Amino acid sequence: NAGVMQNPRHLVRRRGQEARLRCSPMKGHSHVYWYRQLPEEGLKFMVYLQKENIIDESGMPKERFSAEFPKEGPSILRIQQVVRGDSAAYFCASSPIGQGVIYEQYFGPGTRLTVT
Amino acid sequence: KQEVTQIPAALSVPEGENLVLNCSFTDSAIYNLQWFRQDPGKGLTSLLLIQSSQREQTSGRLNASLDKSSGRSTLYIAASQPGDSATYLCAVKGNNRLAFGKGNQVVVIP
């Protein structure tokens, strides 16, 4: 059973470009979480999605950031018009069930975004 | 809002000593607590998961305790080895998310 997959592993973008980060959850998992780790900071929750639904996006910046988890295919975290402050490691996690229960979240290897 | 604090932020110990890493959290309404290991530039490796109803979990040289009422967890690593050098992250699970501490950066000196 493959783990959580993220691609690309490393992404370099110039200021003003768009970044698309992809996450394929573990087989059988329908809940996806995105976290961001800024340099010298802890991981911070960004968004929680189920298939075709955003459940909690309270950690997402209000502008330029969006996330989706379509019925088919991976979850996508999209950052428009990137700025240097977006440079960070972005981690995706998945679980079989999400809200209010005790299931473990399994993490992918992360995508390291560098904005030049 | 859940706040997770890890003390000390960094420590160095000689090989063979036991490691004690502390984690505290402000909201005791958690579902579970998890300890992760992160190597530089790498992802997260889950070490131990303690459910809110449990007091401790053990795996090999690792033991983690949880005192939910006082908002504390401790990770013990027995007989440390140079390969234990890494950053250790504590995370508590609320309703929709994990809240992470900033980590304990550990160096084990051969």
Side-chain angles (χ1 to χ4, degrees), chain A residues 52-72:
Chain A
E52 299 183 280
N53 283 304
I54 297 174
I55 306 302
D56 181 354
E57 57 181 348
S58 59
M60 288 274 273
K62 293 288 185 275
E63 297 177 349
R64 303 187 296 106
F65 284 72
S66 62
E68 63 176 8
F69 189 15
K71 187 176 180 181
E72 301 291 337

Side-chain angles (χ1 to χ4, degrees), chain B residues 54-67:
Chain B
Q54 297 175 317
R55 298 284 292 185
E56 66 176 344
Q57 278 287 344
T58 298
S59 175
R61 295 184 294 112
L62 276 60
N63 174 276
S65 64
L66 173 63
D67 183 342

Side-chain angles (χ1 to χ4, degrees), chain A residues 9-70:
Chain A
R9 297 289 303 276
H10 299 274
L11 182 62
V12 179
R13 285 287 178 266
R14 290 199 180 99
R15 279 179 295 169
Q17 291 184 319
E18 178 179 286
R20 282 186 177 237
L21 288 63
R22 289 178 289 278
C23 169
S24 296
M26 288 180 69
K27 187 176 180 180
H29 288 192
S30 58
H31 297 251
V32 165
Y33 311 80
W34 286 92
Y35 295 83
R36 177 167 68 172
Q37 187 175 37
L38 291 164
E40 308 304 322
E41 294 287 329
L43 277 86
K44 302 290 186 187
F45 168 81
M46 298 182 75
V47 62
Y48 160 42
L49 309 102
Q50 295 179 27
K51 288 278 188 182
E52 299 183 280
N53 283 304
I54 297 174
I55 306 302
D56 181 354
E57 57 181 348
S58 59
M60 288 274 273
K62 293 288 185 275
E63 297 177 349
R64 303 187 296 106
F65 284 72
S66 62
E68 63 176 8
F69 189 15

